[in-house]
């Protein structure tokens, strides 16, 4: 994707996760700049009243060279904002699902992500990062893998600390590796052009 | 024939019979590599074959030393078999000196002109593997797995009659009785290994040194990679398919482990193809394969030679953006 104004080629990785899952922290650990949070007011009409909900999008970036940039987007993971997911994740190099193991219904949350991001998962790559595992062992990696298998997918699930740069880079490495492997083993017409 | 050296210390080849050892690297120029060769040299007398990297597969160095300190070496280099005889310097009993002499010999050999003698026959496919001594630890593990591995059972690996490590699925722990966590001992030709049900081991003491079971299998698999891929699943005819991603967030790993894992998560490949496609070193491929095998996360299939492997250069197949990201983050 080329930005005609700046001639900067932009690519993106999307981090999805509920509040407290570690999106901002993860983006901060690899971004060249301090992540910027944007607020979008969500208006819901119905019954004559308006509901105002504020949701934050995180944005970070990594300069790869003079003409290439990697954008890091953090998209809210609550299901009521799922209308944003296909918009934010369009043409992404990969998707990172950050799940707070100590949060509310983490397995159900992952199940929802897999369902609604399925197009993006099939088209590029996805990886699951489980955060806050040091606070609880409520669910194991195996539990998350069972959810993934239920969707007939095979996806890495890594226990990570979003504060640790190496852990976040593990997620990035997995996305790149899966993309590379797909292009070699399952090339599409687009890849061969 | 013997070995002679001229004023420039250049060696001339001779003939000699051999016992085999394959070195991980054949140059001693790099001090770091020398150290690793020193470590390997400690095993020379115990093993007839030491794991060789893909680089060293082109060069097989066979060595034996008699009572007089004379040694015979045969170098199989890129299909040519050349024999040497060397004399171990008795005034330098340290293995490092022997090793350095050996490497100097190899370097001299590499600088030699093409011999006028007829070229030796190319080794048969699989030649390098045919005479490898069976590793007793592999053998014990393979027997255990082939007898119907019960993932719910608690058992102990005995080493030379003593408890070495145990697996307790109930506790979700692998406990190491004798060693601090993260350490594994050398494996010798004369060591004996046996897997017993936990209830039959009287002296087992569950120490504080324990780790999660998958982590232990990963650790052991990486350790076993020094002996190459497990014999029962080793060979160009084997293609590997990963059934479950390991949790690399909890496992000490190399970035290339992730790259290799991604390939065999999608489709089966053999070890050589994996190394070619990913640029990973063979030891990274073998350590991942061994670990996945122990973690019960690997399927294998035997293929006919005619079946094509995924081909192509990774560099040409992927967009440059991936390489830029990897370069930026040093992945």
């Amino acid at each position: 994707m080329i930005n005609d104004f700046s001639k900067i080629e932009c690519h993106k990785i999307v981090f999805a996760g509920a509040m407290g899952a570690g999106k901002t922290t993860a983006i901060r650990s690899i971004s060249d700049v301090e992540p910027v949070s944007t607020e979008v007011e969500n208006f819901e009409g119905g019954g004559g009243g308006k509901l105002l909900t504020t949701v934050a999008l995180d944005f970070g970036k990594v300069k790869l060279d003079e003409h290439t940039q990697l954008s890091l987007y953090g998209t809210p993971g609550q299901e009521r904002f799922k209308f944003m997911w296909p918009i934010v994740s369009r043409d992404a190099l990969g998707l990172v699902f950050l799940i707070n193991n100590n949060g509310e219904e983490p397995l159900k949350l992952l199940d929802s992500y897999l369902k609604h991001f399925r197009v993006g998962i099939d088209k590029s790559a996805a990886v699951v990062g489980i955060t806050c595992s040091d606070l609880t062992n409520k669910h194991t990696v195996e539990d998350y893998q069972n959810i993934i298998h239920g969707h007939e997918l095979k996806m890495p699930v890594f226990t990570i600390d979003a504060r640790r740069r190496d852990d976040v880079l593990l997620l990035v490495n997995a996305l790149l590796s899966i993309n590379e492997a797909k292009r070699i083993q399952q090339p599409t017409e687009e890849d061969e052009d | 024939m013997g070995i002679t050296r001229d004023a420039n210390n250049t060696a001339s080849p001779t003939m000699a019979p051999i016992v085999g050892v394959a070195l991980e690297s054949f140059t001693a120029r790099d001090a770091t590599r020398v150290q690793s060769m020193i470590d390997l040299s400690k095993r020379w007398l115990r093993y007839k074959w030491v794991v060789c990297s893909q680089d060293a597969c082109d060069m097989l160095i066979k060595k034996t030393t008699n009572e007089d300190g004379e040694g015979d070496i045969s170098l199989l280099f890129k299909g040519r078999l050349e024999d040497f005889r060397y004399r171990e310097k008795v005034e330098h009993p340290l293995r490092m000196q022997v090793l350095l002499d050996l490497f100097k010999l190899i370097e001299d050999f590499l600088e030699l002109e093409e011999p006028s003698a007829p070229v030796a026959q190319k080794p048969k496919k699989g030649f390098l593997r045919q005479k490898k001594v069976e590793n007793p630890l592999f053998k014990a593990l393979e027997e255990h797995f082939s007898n119907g591995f019960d993932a719910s059972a608690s058992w102990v690996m005995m080493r030379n009659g003593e408890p070495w490590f145990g697996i307790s699925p109930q506790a979700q722990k692998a406990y190491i009785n004798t060693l601090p966590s993260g350490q594994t001992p050398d494996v010798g030709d004369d060591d004996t290994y046996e897997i017993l049900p936990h209830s039959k081991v009287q002296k087992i003491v569950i120490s504080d040194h324990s780790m999660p079971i998958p982590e232990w299998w990963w650790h052991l698999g990486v350790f076993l990679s020094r002996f190459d891929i497990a014999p029962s699943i080793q060979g160009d005819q084997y293609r590997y398919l990963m059934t479950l991603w390991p949790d690399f967030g909890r496992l000490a790993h190399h970035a290339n482990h992730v790259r290799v894992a991604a390939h065999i998560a999608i489709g089966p490949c053999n070890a050589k193809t994996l190394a070619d496609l990913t640029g990973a070193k063979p030891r990274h491929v073998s350590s991942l394969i061994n670990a996945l095998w122990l973690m019960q996360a690997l399927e294998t299939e035997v293929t006919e030679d005619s079946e094509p492997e995924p081909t192509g250069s990774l560099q040409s197949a992927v967009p440059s953006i991936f390489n830029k990201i990897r370069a930026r983050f040093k992945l």
Side-chain angles (χ1 to χ4, degrees):
Chain A
M1 180 177 74
I2 303 288
N3 181 316
D4 287 332
F5 287 103
S6 63
K7 304 293 183 190
I8 301 285
E9 184 180 321
C10 296
H11 301 269
K12 64 182 167 185
I13 291 176
V14 175
F15 292 76
M19 200 159 46
K23 298 187 300 296
T24 310
T25 307
I27 291 172
R28 178 183 292 121
S29 69
I30 61 173
S31 173
D32 288 342
V33 299
E34 179 66 18
V36 175
S37 286
T38 60
E39 292 187 335
V40 175
E41 289 181 304
N42 181 28
F43 292 86
E44 278 192 40
K50 282 193 296 192
L51 296 175
L52 296 180
T53 307
T54 302
V55 61
L57 284 174
D58 297 303
F59 176 78
K61 65 179 181 181
V62 179
K63 184 179 178 182
L64 301 176
D65 59 35
E66 288 304 314
H67 305 288
T68 318
Q69 173 181 296
L70 178 67
S71 301
L72 309 168
Y73 287 89
T75 182
Q78 292 89 332
E79 187 148 335
R80 62 182 182 275
F81 302 125
K82 65 186 179 190
F83 68 94
M84 298 171 63
W85 296 347
I87 301 170
V88 177
S89 60
R90 188 177 300 147
D91 296 327
L93 292 179
L95 306 163
V96 177
F97 301 124
L98 292 177
I99 309 285
N100 181 349
N101 201 32
N102 198 31
E104 196 177 316
E105 295 185 302
L107 297 179
K108 190 176 172 187
L109 196 59
L110 176 61
D111 188 63
S112 178
Y113 291 158
L114 297 177
K115 181 179 161 190
H116 291 101
F117 281 98
R118 186 58 188 258
V119 172
I121 293 170
D122 289 341
K123 202 173 174 189
S124 60
V127 61
V128 178
I130 307 299
T131 61
C132 304
S133 283
D134 52 332
L135 299 178
T136 178
N137 57 359
K138 186 161 61 175
H139 298 291
T140 63
V141 166
E142 192 179 25
D143 293 334
Y144 293 100
Q145 285 286 8
N146 288 337
I147 298 292
I148 292 169
H149 290 155
H151 287 263
E152 296 184 351
L153 289 167
K154 194 191 293 179
M155 194 185 295
V157 178
F158 300 145
T159 306
I160 67 150
D161 182 340
R163 297 165 296 183
R164 294 188 71 239
R165 179 180 165 88
D166 283 349
D167 284 8
V168 180
L169 289 181
L170 166 62
L171 300 172
V172 174
N173 186 15
L175 292 180
L176 297 178
S177 301
I178 294 169
N179 265 306
E180 287 164 350
K182 276 186 175 178
R183 283 167 193 267
I184 288 190
Q185 297 205 35
Q186 299 167 349
T188 61
E189 286 182 5
E190 196 179 283
D191 295 332
E192 289 170 356
D193 284 342
Chain B
M1 291 176 68
I3 190 167
T4 57
R5 291 177 180 268
D6 61 16
N8 295 323
N9 209 27
T10 302
S12 301
T14 66
M15 296 298 296
I18 335 299
V19 178
V21 63
L23 295 175
E24 194 169 18
S25 171
F26 59 85
T27 178
R29 292 192 179 96
D30 184 297
T32 305
R33 287 187 177 189
V34 169
Q35 185 60 50
S36 68
M37 292 304 104
I38 292 169
D39 294 336
L40 272 176
S41 74
K42 293 175 187 171
R43 299 179 176 86
W44 277 20
L45 292 183
R46 283 189 280 174
Y47 305 128
K48 291 183 179 172
W49 295 85
V50 179
V51 67
C52 59
S53 68
Q54 190 64 42
D55 290 339
C57 279
D58 286 335
M59 169 176 281
L60 176 64
I61 305 162
K62 301 178 181 182
K63 167 187 173 290
T64 188
T65 306
N66 61 24
E67 292 175 0
D68 297 328
E70 289 181 348
D72 299 317
I73 309 172
S74 192
L75 297 179
L76 179 67
F77 182 65
K78 295 194 185 298
R80 288 164 40 208
L81 188 66
E82 297 288 345
D83 295 333
F84 291 79
R85 171 162 289 182
Y86 80 102
R87 178 179 288 276
E88 183 172 342
K89 291 187 178 179
V90 295
E91 66 270 27
H92 296 285
L94 296 174
R95 294 195 188 283
M96 173 164 51
Q97 192 57 53
V98 172
L99 204 55
L100 290 174
D101 282 350
L102 179 62
F103 284 134
K104 184 68 174 68
L105 197 66
I106 295 163
E107 289 173 21
D108 291 343
F109 168 74
L110 293 177
E111 290 166 10
L112 290 174
E113 292 179 1
E114 290 283 329
S116 56
V119 175
Q121 275 190 347
K122 264 195 160 181
K124 293 178 189 173
K125 191 175 178 182
F127 167 78
L128 292 179
R129 302 194 192 284
Q130 285 172 1
K131 296 189 181 176
K132 189 169 286 188
V133 170
E134 195 172 62
N135 181 280
L137 179 53
F138 264 133
K139 192 176 174 188
L141 288 166
E142 283 177 338
E143 280 177 7
H144 182 68
F145 289 144
S146 66
N147 288 337
F149 180 78
D150 181 359
S152 66
S154 293
W155 50 268
V156 180
M157 170 75 83
M158 307 292 287
R159 178 172 180 260
N160 298 327
E162 294 291 327
W164 178 27
F165 71 87
I167 299 287
S168 171
Q170 289 77 11
Q172 297 183 15
K173 290 286 186 187
Y175 45 90
I176 306 169
N177 196 50
T178 58
L179 296 170
S181 177
Q183 288 190 22
T184 48
D186 290 337
V187 176
D189 273 352
D190 297 327
D191 289 334
T192 59
Y193 295 89
E194 186 183 11
I195 293 179
L196 296 176
H198 188 277
S199 57
K200 290 194 175 179
V201 180
Q202 301 298 324
K203 291 193 286 183
I204 188 76
V205 174
I206 298 179
S207 70
D208 291 333
H209 302 306
S210 64
M211 62 175 68
I213 293 174
E215 194 174 320
W216 168 249
W217 284 134
W218 172 265
H219 185 74
L220 188 61
V222 171
F223 169 73
L224 286 174
S225 68
R226 66 184 67 185
F227 305 113
D228 215 330
I229 294 173
S232 60
I233 56 170
Q234 183 192 100
D236 291 340
Q237 72 277 23
Y238 282 98
R239 294 165 76 186
Y240 311 102
L241 179 70
M242 185 175 76
T243 57
L244 190 69
W245 278 85
D247 181 3
F248 284 120
R250 290 188 187 271
L251 304 170
H253 65 280
H254 191 276
N256 279 335
H257 284 131
V258 179
R259 296 185 84 164
V260 175
H263 273 275
I264 56 175
I266 290 174
C269 291
N270 71 18
K272 186 177 184 309
T273 302
L274 283 170
D276 291 343
L277 285 179
T278 61
K281 293 184 179 177
R283 69 170 184 271
H284 293 144
V285 175
S286 60
S287 56
L288 178 71
I289 298 296
N290 280 338
L292 291 175
W293 173 65
L294 291 170
M295 295 163 86
Q296 308 281 293
L298 187 76
E299 286 179 1
T300 58
E301 59 180 47
V302 179
T303 61
E304 298 293 329
D305 287 341
S306 58
E307 287 195 31
E309 285 284 325
T311 58
S313 160
L314 189 67
Q315 295 301 319
S316 61
V318 301
S320 62
I321 179 63
F322 294 158
N323 294 326
K324 287 182 184 178
I325 298 172
R326 287 192 178 282
R328 173 67 172 78
F329 291 125
K330 296 182 175 53
L331 293 174

